[in-house]
Amino acid sequence: MTEKLTNEETVTFTLNGEEKTAVKGELIIEACEKNGEFIPRFCYHPRMKPVGMCRMCLVEVSSPRGPSLQPSCYVEIQNGMEVNTQSDPVKKAQDGVLEYLLLNHPLDCPVCDKGGECPLQDQTLSYGPGESRFIEEKRHFLKPLKISSLVELDRERCIQCGRCIRFAKEISGEAEIDFAGRGEDTEVAIFPGKEFDSYFSLNTVQICPVGALTAVPYRFKSRPWDLEQIESTCQFCAVQCKLSVQSSQNEILRTLGIDSDAVNQSWLCDRGRFGFEAIYSSNRVNSPKIKKDGEFIDVSWPEAVEEVARALSVAKIANGPDSIGFIGGARLNNEGAYAFSKLAKGVIGTDNVDAQLSDGIDPNLIFGLRRATINDLDQAEIVVTLCGDLREELPVLFLRLRTLVANEALLLAEFSIGETPLSQYAAFRRSLVPGKVQNLLEELKDSFLSSFGRDDFEQKDGGIVFVVGNPGIGIDGLEIEHSIRALAKSFPNAKFLPALRRGNIFGALDMGLSPGLLPGRVTLKSHGSFFGDKWVCVPEKVGKNTKEMLQSVIDGTMDTLILLGSDPISDFPDKNLVLKAFEKAKNIICVESIMNESTKYAQVILPASMDHERAGTVTNLEGRVTHAGDKVTASGASFDDWVIASLISAELGDDLGFNSREDIGSEICSFAPAYRSTEKYFISGNDFGDGVVVPIAQVPVSIRARKSDPIEVPGLSSIERQGSPIRSGNSLPSSVAKVGSESQISFDNSMFDLNSTVSYKLLEEKRESSFYLVLEKSLYDNGTLLRESKSFENSARESYFKLNPVLLAELGVNEGDMITVSKESVKVKGRVVADSLVSVAVVVASWNQNSADSRELISLDNVNIVEVER
Amino acid sequence: MTHLSAELVEKCKKVVELYPSKRSALIPLCHIAQGQNGWLTPEAIEDVASLVGVSPAEVRGTASFYDMFHLEPVGKHVIAMCTNIACMLAGAYELLEHAQEKLGVSPGGTTTDKEFTLEESECLAGCDKAPCIQVNHRFFGPMDNASFDTLLADLKSGKLADVVPPHGVLIRIDREHKRKVNYEAIDAERVEIDAAIKERKLKLEAANNATVGKDS
Amino acid sequence: MALTTFEKIVSKRLKLENSYTLEQYLATGGYDGLKKALQMNPEDVSAEVMDASLLGRGGAGFPAGRKWSMLKPSPVRYLVVNGDESEPATFKDHELVERDPHQIIEGTLIASYALGARQAFIFCRGEFALGLERLEAALNEAYAYGAVGSDIFNSGFSIDLVIHPGAGAYICGEETALLESLEGKRGYPRIKPPYFPAVIGLYGMPTVVNNMETVSNLPWIVLNGGKAFASLGEGSSAGSRLFALSGHVNRPGWYEIEMAKTTFRDLIENPELGGGVRNGRKLKAFIPGGVSAPWFGPDEMDLPLSQDAVAQKGSMLGSGSVVVMDETTCPVRAAWRISKFFSRESCGQCTPCREGSGWIERIMHRIEMGLGREEDIELVLDACDNIAPGLTWPPKQTTICVLGPSIPSSIHSAITMFRDDFLTHIKEGGCSYDGKIN
């Protein structure tokens, strides 16, 4: 139990005459709800500060001057308080508020998206007067008002609860919507010509208690009673938010955030919410394809698998298993990743397997760190970020951190390439320069932490949490790894949250899709013989990472690449290296869902099912294993990845031994050390809740009450009816918590030695007039999944370069002008963006945006020093 | 700054410095910004937003709460006619009707020559001069139809230019003194003063209690 | 009752020439109060104010000394002077700020010294353009004179004063809305508890909010002593007070009157004061303390101008503004106009007030225009009841602040006192007073 829980005091109060208990500090509305008495409400939202505006939640509360009506969302429960939620004055007030709200609210429920799941509709039925006495003309507005490319506002339906405005200001920190006007004329408004330009804009639609805010992609698409839903997990980034996937007639129409206290606390980013649209891409691979005479032709599965097996066998016989490599895997679920890991390492015998594209962190380092959970941020006193812009890379993690920092719940030290939305809150920050990262971190100790004159947060478990990832392409990954190791040594009690971004990258790494690793966070060295007994074989030596594989193809020592849902041409930093390798490779086999740049080079394409089409487990950046379900059937002839791996293996003559994904689950749980005792999470129909953080903790973990309210997630209750109940809690459902005793298998990660030193090549000093080039990633770019989603197809921006304003003045250019950045003969043009937090030694370039491609300037072989001219 | 003159921006910066929190200067700055064009242009709002460090939507949302800020263009003279209780009892509605006829616009309207904007206002705190009106926030009253006509003529001819500046110009006197007090220094001192006061109070209470004890 | 004579306290300079200049102010004893206060201990200054039994002049009538004593100890605290005078028919602060701005500044400084304020703000209604200019000019003079700023009159006491213009919103007269507005936000009243300004005020720090007339009394109180002030008036209604008289009287205007010693009849009829109902007509009703107060009929004319006496009869002395309505006044129209005011000024935060005020105004307008139905009388009262349950006085409320529950005052009064007029409007399909106004 955490301190928070053990310190909880209880108070006793009376609710409608009956004695009840509550936790001290709870609001009346929460205390009553926990005691089974639902109080109607509109403006109150459990994840935002109360404002007491709508007056729907008035209850009678005792006071020295007799009972008075008080907003239950605003007043804390006190010992001895007498609360009455059903008295005549309360009922009269509820009647009054609802009649007032309906004065101007149009009765267009039959055509309103919210009809059928509308808190105003529902609460009017339960608590309101039968009819209105209002005979005047209702308010009218021009409708709808576009407040962002994804959100529209029908102002006449608005009941001025301010939830959307508060979300924008309080949670996402983008106050681009506000009330305008006064009194009766109050309306929600954007600044004319300036949209509510937020990655989180659609949360406002979900929390709107009426149909005033609607999602453009869903508007007029369906009625709630026609939707079926499952509780699932978003797999667009490594945060893996819990969501409800809703479909009608086998077509997904929308998703809604679920309040998982441990992970997303009900929020989603817009990309995660409507990114499923890629399923319906016109470039979907619906059938296996083989290239004949330069053209892809559709073939049957047996033909395609035979072709793949033939290519693999030929390669293995001719040049050994090491001539075969697997690139990618972060888009697979754990079952798929395990199956391909077993195929590559346990059947073919190659260790040339890498789920990362040379832009991440060595998993040997990640596994050696003391891993933090997202909830650990709540308990931390200091959070240090050494990573990319979290809003761009792990959006909902950004929300959690931003809210905490903005509320001064913790101090933030930021190490970033340039300005991020968190910079304004940072108590300490430094701009990163390639080659100087370690020096800057030393400053953290000398200039920042020492200024507190105390070291108790250094002693305290998790007093400091480091969020570590790759801050930008162009800083040597080894340099970052070296720095992280140094931090881990300096702060032995600190915890680390690794900030890799790709969907199920942590699942892929845990399943062994990385050179030198085997499933369950163990190494070839430590567990090679163990797996050698269980599998057909294990690789003889540690294999190559993606960059090395590409180079080997060019060298001619490798000739066969299998791309697992990966598009290196668009996604690997050094595009030229990929192109050279692909042109040279003898066989490229793609396990892919949507045609992309890299599939053009394939000999065979095997269609894989996508998120929400396949069931299985995924693992997030905390190591939380959760369930991601299949809401719709897979498109065309697509198969789940594990089936594809099994087919190939069988064709090669070795049965992987899986007849169902549960078979894989039970094998993972028995073989993969970090996944011991997690069997129940791999079985369909079980109580998955928020999943479990692996390895299962040695100490019991707090289970916090879920802050869910019936008007928050429409239709949530029906998830329960479908047998996948919602669970509160950090990680352990009660049945598992019992295992958290001394007899618990304790996973040993000491094999990952943090003291092992890595040497990184010190950068060649740049000349005075030149700059280090660093590329930054954005949430919206020209990546396949975005480009193929209708709502995001045009979301990429024009390519840009960020420079310190001092340099702009020197160069004589203004923000918005075009400049040319060059390296030797390669020249790339882009618009100038001023960023006063970028070092004067650095130029930051955009990644995979429109027009020019800055990756032309990147070469992983040497230092990326560029020149800038007007 | 894209819109406000350099002079006004300087003035705004001085006002911002007077407050412990930048956002506090939002309303004074909107007044200053409105002085430039007679109304709060979107560009002026963006300038104010960057000066006080909030979003333009928040500045607009805040400004729109207040009657004195105009988010649409207005005439050179904004005539606010009070019709609240005291003025109504003195014939404000009849005067308003006369004004509408005379100007040819209804409340909220601006004459085609952009000279006058007519407004029906709430109580202006000039009830002893009911019915009272304000032109660009300068008081006139008690008014009748004849004095109203004369006033219009005088405003148009420029005879009242000294008394009634163009709409938007509110306070023609600038503050001459910067913030003088060093808060950090006095805050430290304050802690000591508070401690001394507390001590005195305790002594006083103790003395009182002692006396009470004797009485009983 | 006879009119008492006494040395005027807040209004003594109002009729002098150039009363707003430092020269005139100093010539009439200006800043002597501040100089004396700075020689005293801060808590002794507070004690004088406590002794004076000075009631807040904004409308709620809470004793200023007690308000000060409730200020939570904290290194950082603020004083805010509320000059956002917007209660219809109230115009005393308007006079004070235009005619005697130095007195406000001096009072503010005395209060700041007594309270140990870190900074003080004078929030002045934006529509008082002339007043704001005079106040700003006076502040410039006061700084130059050494009365404000660092080390005032070599006393070691330092404070900065900021004049903050309002921008036109009645609700900002409510002290927590005023603080929001001063923080640069929409004027939304805060919820009490916990947002009592004395505990969590400006920027979350303990804050005293005093009315402009309240602080204008301080120089005199410091110079003459709290007891001298309390010797005027009677009981809790101590001292003198500016009353604003308007409506159907011969001599509308402001009058400084000793509290409790004078009656409404004196105020309205005394030839030196109101001079009687205009055109020799009969009085129909009067509003004793701003439009938030329930109305009185001729029977209440002999009530003294005392806070308690008025409260006992179910209304309030409020902001000290008295509106006289003679027999030609249509009570439906008067109540409608007041309801229109509240509808336009509702901040829009709470549903009952935001939606209710507009609906009530529409029903009242319908009745006044002769389009009402008989059931509309009960309907409008029930709509009022949903904002102020029970229509009691002082009102209960379903809203955050008291603007909402002030809406029913005039409507309830008008219907109770003049129900027949409402019925006539409905039956005859129009206003029977049309054309007879004035």
Side-chain angles (χ1 to χ4, degrees):
Chain A
M1 300 290 258
T2 64
E3 286 171 1
K4 268 191 182 168
L5 288 174
T6 46
N7 289 345
E8 267 173 9
E9 275 181 57
T10 54
V11 295
T12 313
F13 70 107
T14 56
L15 172 58
N16 301 329
E18 275 179 56
E19 195 156 287
K20 305 276 184 188
T21 57
V23 178
K24 195 178 175 191
E26 261 181 333
L27 298 168
I28 296 176
I29 200 168
E30 296 169 339
C32 290
E33 201 171 324
K34 282 188 194 161
N35 282 292
E37 181 69 12
F38 176 78
I39 298 171
R41 80 288 298 271
F42 293 106
C43 67
Y44 170 72
H45 186 283
R47 293 291 178 192
M48 299 194 285
K49 288 176 194 150
V51 285
M53 283 167 65
C54 75
R55 316 307 284 178
M56 190 64 218
C57 71
L58 291 176
V59 294
E60 266 197 321
V61 174
S62 57
S63 82
R65 282 173 290 177
S68 69
L69 291 169
Q70 297 288 335
S72 61
C73 73
Y74 212 86
V75 181
E76 284 178 11
I77 196 85
Q78 306 284 342
N79 230 344
M81 199 177 243
E82 289 164 36
V83 178
N84 198 324
T85 63
Q86 293 171 350
S87 67
D88 289 343
V90 172
K91 284 184 175 155
K92 175 98 167 65
Q94 289 172 343
D95 254 25
V97 169
L98 280 166
E99 185 179 33
Y100 283 142
L101 285 176
L102 289 168
L103 294 183
N104 281 300
H105 188 85
L107 299 180
D108 61 347
C109 312
V111 297
C112 175
D113 274 0
K114 207 77 173 186
E117 57 180 14
C118 173
L120 181 58
Q121 219 176 27
D122 295 349
Q123 298 188 62
T124 301
L125 195 68
S126 307
Y127 302 93
E131 55 189 85
S132 175
R133 296 172 292 179
F134 186 73
I135 57 169
E136 281 81 1
E137 180 82 10
K138 291 189 187 232
R139 218 167 19 221
H140 295 287
F141 286 104
L142 199 68
K143 63 182 284 184
L145 188 76
K146 217 170 171 65
I147 68 164
S148 84
S149 56
L150 294 171
V151 182
E152 287 183 352
L153 168 65
D154 291 294
R155 286 169 289 177
E156 72 283 357
R157 289 181 189 153
C158 176
I159 57 167
Q160 286 84 26
C161 71
R163 280 177 155 210
C164 53
I165 290 168
R166 285 182 283 141
F167 172 82
K169 187 162 175 75
E170 202 177 307
I171 308 293
S172 82
E174 300 155 301
E176 283 161 14
I177 43 175
D178 197 358
F179 279 133
R182 190 175 70 207
E184 245 195 336
D185 300 325
T186 306
E187 54 174 281
V188 173
I190 51 169
F191 187 71
K194 224 177 167 146
E195 286 191 346
F196 175 40
D197 185 15
S198 167
Y199 290 153
F200 308 101
S201 66
L202 288 163
N203 287 298
T204 61
V205 176
Q206 180 169 338
I207 61 178
C208 181
V210 291
L213 293 168
T214 46
V216 173
Y218 177 73
R219 199 172 156 90
F220 303 132
K221 275 277 179 69
S222 181
R223 312 300 312 182
W225 51 85
D226 288 333
L227 294 171
E228 300 171 322
Q229 62 182 348
I230 57 160
E231 182 175 350
S232 189
T233 305
C234 176
Q235 296 155 70
F236 275 95
C237 80
V239 174
Q240 298 186 348
C241 299
K242 297 300 289 178
L243 45 63
S244 153
V245 182
Q246 308 192 338
S247 68
S248 174
Q249 296 180 317
N250 201 31
E251 185 186 351
I252 298 175
L253 293 176
R254 67 171 182 185
T255 63
L256 295 173
I258 284 177
D259 193 317
S260 157
D261 182 81
V263 185
N264 56 316
Q265 304 196 335
S266 85
W267 314 124
L268 295 178
C269 69
D270 292 354
R271 177 183 166 157
R273 194 180 288 265
F274 276 103
F276 66 79
E277 290 173 342
I279 290 176
Y280 306 105
S281 159
S282 57
N283 290 317
R284 192 67 202 266
V285 185
N286 280 321
S287 159
K289 294 176 199 294
I290 292 179
K291 197 183 267 168
K292 289 223 169 101
D293 304 325
E295 294 285 318
F296 284 115
I297 54 162
D298 289 354
V299 296
S300 68
W301 269 104
E303 283 175 87
V305 171
E306 196 189 320
E307 177 69 19
V308 171
R310 192 192 53 78
L312 294 175
S313 304
V314 168
K316 189 173 170 181
I317 292 163
N319 299 313
D322 295 344
S323 66
I324 301 169
F326 288 75
I327 293 176
R331 213 178 285 163
L332 276 50
N333 60 13
N334 291 345
E335 286 80 353
Y338 184 86
F340 269 105
S341 189
K342 188 172 179 182
L343 170 67
K345 302 193 175 185
V347 172
I348 298 172
T350 176
D351 196 45
N352 296 331
V353 176
D354 195 356
Q356 300 197 83
L357 299 183
S358 299
D359 58 354
I361 303 178
D362 180 2
N364 289 287
L365 168 58
I366 296 176
F367 293 157
L369 296 169
R370 299 185 69 232
R371 189 88 67 98
T373 63
I374 297 174
N375 270 350
D376 280 336
L377 296 174
D378 295 1
Q379 309 292 334
E381 287 184 58
I382 291 174
V383 169
V384 182
T385 58
L386 170 65
C387 54
D389 183 342
L390 290 175
R391 186 165 72 180
E392 305 291 344
E393 301 196 355
L394 299 163
V396 176
L397 179 66
F398 160 79
L399 285 189
R400 178 78 76 95
L401 190 52
R402 196 210 76 85
T403 319
L404 288 167
V405 182
N407 290 332
E408 298 176 351
L410 53 81
L411 289 174
L412 176 73
E414 183 186 60
F415 292 87
S416 63
I417 295 295
E419 182 167 9
T420 77
L422 291 173
S423 301
Q424 56 175 313
Y425 306 107
F428 178 86
R429 78 167 304 288
R430 286 291 180 269
S431 298
L432 295 172
V433 178
K436 306 228 165 79
V437 176
Q438 186 55 43
N439 306 346
L440 295 169
L441 288 169
E442 270 157 25
E443 275 190 62
L444 171 75
K445 235 179 157 173
D446 299 344
S447 318
F448 180 61
L449 298 180
S450 63
S451 69
F452 294 96
R454 52 181 268 245
D455 56 3
D456 52 346
F457 47 76
E458 290 180 28
Q459 306 303 323
K460 189 179 153 193
D461 185 43
I464 304 184
V465 173
F466 290 94
V467 182
V468 292
N470 194 334
I473 313 276
I475 298 186
D476 190 345
L478 294 176
E479 183 183 1
I480 298 296
E481 284 165 22
H482 174 84
S483 303
I484 296 170
R485 280 177 205 275
L487 289 173
K489 272 185 267 178
S490 298
F491 301 98
N493 296 309
K495 290 185 176 178
F496 290 78
L497 202 54
L500 303 179
R501 60 198 271 273
R502 291 195 182 86
N504 193 34
I505 184 64
F506 291 95
L509 298 176
D510 281 0
M511 294 305 118
L513 288 181
S514 191
L517 292 181
L518 288 168
R521 299 187 189 170
V522 292
T523 61
L524 199 52
K525 199 174 149 201
S526 70
H527 282 66
S529 58
F530 172 84
F531 277 95
D533 289 347
K534 313 281 180 194
W535 290 354
V536 177
C537 63
V538 284
E540 283 164 12
K541 60 179 195 321
V542 174
K544 302 181 172 93
N545 67 22
T546 299
K547 181 182 139 192
E548 290 158 352
M549 282 190 255
L550 292 169
Q551 275 161 342
S552 301
V553 173
I554 296 168
D555 297 345
T557 50
M558 281 179 69
D559 60 8
T560 299
L561 293 177
I562 295 152
L563 307 181
L564 299 177
S566 175
D567 174 12
I569 295 182
S570 308
D571 218 14
F572 185 80
D574 188 343
K575 187 179 178 178
N576 294 324
L577 187 71
V578 182
L579 289 172
K580 270 192 234 163
F582 279 14
E583 266 152 31
K584 188 99 191 279
K586 197 168 152 208
N587 302 301
I588 292 180
I589 296 152
C590 291
V591 178
E592 190 49 270
S593 306
I594 298 173
M595 298 297 276
N596 58 39
E597 289 298 308
S598 300
T599 53
K600 289 177 191 162
Y601 289 83
Q603 273 73 51
V604 186
I605 306 174
L606 302 175
S609 52
M610 294 179 70
D611 303 349
H612 311 312
E613 291 178 336
R614 59 173 191 215
T617 60
V618 287
T619 304
N620 81 349
L621 44 74
E622 308 167 280
R624 180 180 305 280
V625 181
T626 45
H627 180 75
D630 51 339
K631 186 69 211 80
V632 289
T633 51
S635 175
S638 308
F639 280 159
D640 288 5
D641 301 292
W642 70 267
V643 178
I644 298 173
S646 297
L647 288 172
I648 296 171
S649 187
E651 192 68 23
L652 288 171
D654 285 299
D655 187 358
L656 284 185
F658 306 139
N659 289 317
S660 68
R661 63 176 194 81
E662 278 87 356
D663 288 349
I664 308 177
S666 70
E667 186 166 320
I668 292 172
C669 297
S670 3
F671 293 176
Y675 281 66
R676 298 257 165 83
S677 304
T678 58
E679 286 84 353
K680 60 174 294 191
Y681 296 95
F682 286 86
I683 299 166
S684 288
N686 261 355
D687 167 5
F688 306 108
D690 291 342
V692 64
V693 174
V694 295
I696 289 183
Q698 291 87 338
V699 284
V701 200
S702 68
I703 296 184
R704 283 198 264 182
R706 176 178 218 116
K707 291 194 176 190
S708 159
D709 98 28
I711 79 167
E712 184 190 21
V713 185
L716 190 69
S717 54
S718 63
I719 294 176
E720 250 164 329
R721 286 201 298 276
Q722 293 185 27
S724 176
I726 311 306
R727 166 166 297 283
S728 62
N730 188 341
S731 59
L732 297 179
S734 48
S735 55
V736 181
K738 287 181 199 126
V739 190
S741 62
E742 284 166 18
S743 65
Q744 171 66 35
I745 307 144
S746 130
F747 172 74
D748 176 19
N749 69 350
S750 63
M751 72 189 83
F752 301 104
D753 183 12
L754 288 172
N755 289 314
S756 68
T757 50
V758 279
S759 61
Y760 61 96
K761 157 176 82 180
L762 269 175
L763 282 177
E764 162 195 338
E765 276 296 318
K766 67 175 191 65
R767 286 195 314 279
E768 182 92 348
S769 60
S770 53
F771 304 92
Y772 297 119
L773 181 74
V774 179
L775 265 60
E776 65 175 10
K777 300 222 174 178
S778 306
L779 187 63
Y780 294 162
D781 60 16
N782 279 317
T784 309
L785 288 179
L786 277 165
R787 207 184 52 233
E788 300 296 330
S789 298
K790 202 167 164 289
S791 299
F792 304 101
E793 56 188 1
N794 297 316
S795 62
R797 284 178 289 174
E798 192 185 357
S799 292
Y800 59 83
F801 291 108
K802 282 185 185 168
L803 277 82
N804 190 295
V806 174
L807 296 173
L808 296 189
E810 279 176 20
L811 288 163
V813 292
N814 294 313
E815 193 156 21
D817 290 353
M818 294 296 282
I819 54 165
T820 304
V821 174
S822 58
K823 191 168 101 180
E824 289 143 21
S825 61
V826 186
K827 290 184 190 300
V828 176
K829 285 187 174 216
R831 286 235 183 258
V832 174
V833 174
D835 182 340
S836 55
L837 297 184
V838 172
S839 155
V840 290
V842 170
V843 172
V844 180
S846 53
W847 170 277
N848 204 9
Q849 302 292 337
N850 292 336
S851 57
D853 186 353
S854 310
R855 286 187 305 148
E856 304 274 351
L857 298 163
I858 285 279
S859 151
L860 288 180
D861 282 339
N862 51 38
V863 181
N864 297 290
I865 292 176
V866 293
E867 316 283 330
V868 177
E869 58 194 297
R870 293 172 68 169
Chain B
M1 297 303 118
T2 57
H3 179 70
L4 291 183
S5 69
E7 191 194 345
L8 288 187
V9 169
E10 268 321 292
K11 197 170 162 179
C12 287
K13 284 182 178 163
K14 281 184 187 160
V15 171
V16 171
E17 280 170 19
L18 295 174
Y19 293 91
S21 145
K22 271 180 157 181
R23 183 161 182 173
S24 273
L26 192 149
I27 288 168
L29 260 51
C30 283
H31 278 306
I32 295 171
Q34 185 161 264
Q36 180 162 301
N37 295 58
W39 63 288
L40 267 181
T41 62
E43 296 81 10
I45 288 177
E46 288 188 88
D47 285 356
V48 171
S50 70
L51 282 161
V52 300
V54 299
S55 75
E58 284 177 287
V59 175
R60 185 175 179 273
T62 305
S64 68
F65 185 86
Y66 298 96
D67 292 338
M68 288 176 76
F69 297 130
H70 292 265
L71 301 174
E72 303 288 337
V74 288
K76 192 175 160 199
H77 298 108
V78 176
I79 303 176
M81 309 194 67
C82 172
T83 57
N84 206 310
I85 185 78
C87 288
M88 183 190 95
L89 294 175
Y93 274 107
E94 290 71 11
L95 182 68
L96 178 64
E97 211 163 295
H98 171 76
Q100 292 186 56
E101 269 171 35
K102 184 83 188 169
L103 294 170
V105 295
S106 359
T110 300
T111 56
T112 44
D113 62 1
K114 305 271 182 282
E115 195 70 30
F116 298 106
T117 295
L118 183 65
E119 283 182 350
E120 180 186 353
S121 95
E122 293 303 336
C123 182
L124 296 164
C127 321
D128 50 342
K129 301 178 189 70
C132 88
I133 70 170
Q134 276 194 334
V135 182
N136 298 350
H137 305 299
R138 271 67 186 177
F139 280 94
F140 296 92
M143 301 299 290
D144 56 22
N145 293 356
S147 58
F148 182 80
D149 295 351
T150 315
L151 177 66
L152 285 191
D154 290 350
L155 286 168
K156 224 170 173 172
S157 71
K159 208 170 152 186
L160 289 171
D162 285 349
V163 188
V164 183
H167 183 257
V169 176
L170 188 68
I171 311 173
R172 288 167 295 181
I173 290 172
D174 286 349
R175 184 181 166 112
E176 288 165 7
H177 304 269
K178 284 190 168 181
R179 200 171 82 181
K180 302 262 163 105
V181 177
N182 174 353
Y183 291 138
E184 288 68 32
I186 61 164
D187 285 350
E189 210 178 300
R190 227 8 95 56
V191 177
E192 287 171 29
I193 294 174
D194 280 342
I197 292 175
K198 204 175 164 190
E199 199 182 324
R200 273 207 293 273
K201 266 193 184 158
L202 284 175
K203 275 185 192 163
L204 205 68
E205 263 171 41
N208 283 343
N209 289 343
T211 12
V212 173
K214 272 176 207 161
D215 287 350
S216 59
Chain C
M1 262 187 237
L3 206 54
T4 58
T5 52
F6 61 98
E7 182 202 347
K8 297 288 184 276
I9 297 174
V10 288
S11 68
K12 68 177 172 192
R13 293 184 196 86
L14 298 190
K15 288 181 174 161
L16 300 179
E17 205 182 332
N18 295 332
S19 58
Y20 48 87
T21 60
L22 180 66
E23 197 185 349
Q24 180 66 284
Y25 192 62
L26 292 175
T28 48
Y31 291 110
D32 288 351
L34 175 62
K35 286 172 187 163
K36 184 175 173 192
L38 292 173
Q39 311 281 320
M40 299 160 65
N41 278 331
E43 55 271 41
D44 293 340
V45 177
S46 299
E48 292 296 339
V49 177
M50 190 69 103
D51 285 347
S53 303
L54 172 64
L55 298 183
R57 299 299 196 231
F62 194 80
R66 269 186 53 207
K67 200 172 198 175
W68 287 12
S69 70
M70 287 155 69
L71 187 65
K72 192 183 158 202
S74 151
V76 176
R77 43 200 180 225
Y78 294 105
L79 170 69
V80 178
V81 173
N82 183 349
D84 192 46
E85 181 177 63
S86 313
E87 178 76 18
T90 312
F91 49 95
K92 62 195 177 64
D93 296 340
H94 178 199
E95 286 298 321
L96 289 171
V97 74
E98 276 188 11
R99 305 292 307 171
D100 203 351
H102 277 289
Q103 183 171 254
I104 297 166
I105 291 171
E106 187 181 353
T108 305
L109 293 167
I110 291 171
S112 301
Y113 175 70
L115 297 166
R118 181 204 227 223
Q119 192 173 9
F121 300 87
I122 299 179
F123 189 112
C124 179
R125 185 171 176 187
E127 283 91 341
F128 298 165
L130 180 63
L132 279 161
E133 287 183 344
R134 293 215 170 135
L135 198 54
E136 199 74 61
L139 185 64
N140 284 339
E141 288 179 322
Y143 262 100
Y145 180 61
V148 202
S150 43
D151 194 13
I152 298 169
F153 299 141
N154 302 320
S155 64
F157 176 66
S158 302
I159 187 143
D160 274 304
L161 222 159
V162 175
I163 291 158
H164 186 90
Y170 167 69
I171 191 61
C172 293
E174 198 278 341
E175 59 181 4
T176 58
L178 179 141
L179 295 179
E180 285 283 299
S181 185
L182 186 49
E183 290 181 9
K185 302 174 192 160
R186 297 163 58 82
Y188 280 169
R190 299 171 177 173
I191 300 184
K192 301 189 246 187
Y195 290 100
F196 290 109
V199 185
I200 310 172
L202 189 63
Y203 312 123
M205 292 298 161
T207 303
V208 163
V209 183
N210 277 152
N211 173 260
M212 214 172 228
E213 185 190 346
T214 311
V215 297
S216 292
N217 280 295
L218 298 179
W220 192 95
I221 290 173
V222 168
L223 278 178
N224 300 280
K227 295 210 165 63
F229 188 86
S231 70
L232 293 169
E234 208 171 81
S236 66
S237 295
S240 66
R241 171 168 195 181
L242 280 182
F243 284 90
L245 182 64
S246 63
H248 293 148
V249 286
N250 284 317
R251 286 164 43 88
W254 53 265
Y255 301 100
E256 186 176 342
I257 292 171
E258 191 178 349
M259 286 181 80
K261 297 281 175 63
T262 315
T263 63
F264 284 101
R265 186 180 299 283
D266 296 330
L267 178 64
I268 293 165
E269 294 181 351
N270 189 299
E272 286 175 46
L273 305 175
V277 178
R278 215 177 334 176
N279 301 334
R281 290 190 178 128
K282 270 196 267 176
L283 180 128
K284 184 169 205 159
F286 65 97
I287 309 176
V291 300
S292 302
W295 301 357
F296 279 160
D299 293 351
E300 260 74 50
M301 282 281 272
D302 292 310
L303 270 184
L305 293 166
S306 137
Q307 189 156 301
D308 297 342
V310 176
Q312 270 165 24
K313 289 284 177 185
S315 187
M316 64 170 180
L317 210 45
S319 57
S321 35
V322 179
V323 184
V324 175
M325 294 181 267
D326 74 15
E327 57 193 325
T328 65
T329 310
C330 171
V332 183
R333 187 163 145 119
W336 158 70
R337 185 60 188 81
I338 292 169
S339 72
K340 181 177 174 181
F341 165 75
F342 284 115
S343 162
R344 281 177 66 168
E345 297 295 346
S346 168
C347 79
Q349 235 192 142
C350 306
T351 305
C353 176
R354 179 184 69 240
E355 303 292 338
S357 62
W359 188 23
I360 289 166
E361 190 267 330
R362 285 180 183 84
I363 302 169
M364 291 298 291
H365 193 240
R366 200 159 71 207
I367 299 172
E368 164 63 8
M369 298 306 284
L371 300 168
R373 307 162 300 176
E374 215 167 315
E375 64 263 36
D376 282 339
I377 299 176
E378 294 320 311
L379 176 60
V380 77
L381 285 176
D382 190 55
C384 287
D385 186 277
N386 283 337
I387 306 174
L391 298 179
T392 53
W393 189 266
K396 290 183 181 148
Q397 61 199 71
T398 58
T399 52
I400 291 171
C401 81
V402 293
L403 186 146
S406 300
I407 300 170
S409 293
S410 48
I411 295 165
H412 191 217
S413 297
I415 294 177
T416 312
M417 294 162 75
F418 308 105
R419 186 180 275 263
D420 286 350
D421 278 317
F422 280 77
L423 291 171
T424 313
H425 274 72
I426 290 162
K427 280 179 195 144
E428 294 180 2
C431 178
S432 46
Y433 292 83
D434 255 1
K436 290 186 217 156
I437 303 294
N438 298 340

